[in-house]
Amino acid sequence: MDLMGMMGKLRETQQKIEDTKKRLDTVLIEEQSSDNLLKVTLTANTKIKSITIDDSLLEDKEQLEDYLILVLNKAIEKAAKINQAELDAVAKMDMPMIPGMEDMFK
């Protein structure tokens, strides 16, 4: 592959990555506590969209904090996995294979 062709492919791949990032802003991840007292929704780019808190949790600040940490961390972990899988798929599919760099995208 010639250098100009490779540069064009790299620009095309970069655009696809940017498009994928924008699309991931529309992919919603929902997570909730096991007793459904706290629910969070965030995008695959880890932007929080909503938090729903049952009134019973408002009586105990420490319990509410624990719930928020637990549920938000689970949601962020799910979002990060989806985000990484989507971006990896674009990179593997569209990146030109540069001699000596074949193992980078495995």
Side-chain angles (χ1 to χ4, degrees):
M1 180 178 272
D2 66 273
L3 186 57
M4 292 304 289
M6 192 180 305
M7 292 304 290
K9 187 71 171 167
L10 286 171
R11 278 193 292 278
E12 182 181 317
T13 300
Q14 183 61 37
Q15 184 59 51
K16 286 183 179 180
I17 289 171
E18 291 304 314
D19 292 345
T20 299
K21 286 179 181 180
K22 286 178 188 171
R23 186 178 56 76
L24 289 172
D25 274 334
T26 67
V27 175
L28 298 180
I29 312 301
E30 294 182 356
E31 186 63 52
Q32 59 192 19
S33 60
S34 57
D35 55 11
N36 296 328
L37 295 180
L38 187 125
K39 297 177 187 176
V40 299
T41 303
L42 58 135
T43 70
N45 284 328
T46 64
K47 290 186 176 54
I48 297 171
K49 292 300 207 174
S50 71
I51 298 176
T52 305
I53 302 169
D54 187 271
D55 289 342
S56 65
L57 287 176
L58 299 176
E59 299 167 11
D60 185 344
K61 179 181 182 277
E62 193 171 299
Q63 182 184 15
L64 174 58
E65 290 169 347
D66 291 343
Y67 269 64
L68 283 167
I69 290 168
L70 178 70
V71 176
L72 283 168
N73 279 334
K74 283 175 31 180
I76 290 168
E77 185 177 318
K78 280 184 183 179
K81 284 180 182 176
I82 290 170
N83 186 296
Q84 191 63 50
E86 291 285 327
L87 293 176
D88 283 352
V90 171
K92 284 179 186 176
M93 178 176 57
D94 291 325
M95 285 298 287
M97 280 303 126
I98 299 168
M101 298 182 79
E102 296 88 0
D103 293 331
M104 267 185 76
F105 300 106
K106 287 185 179 178

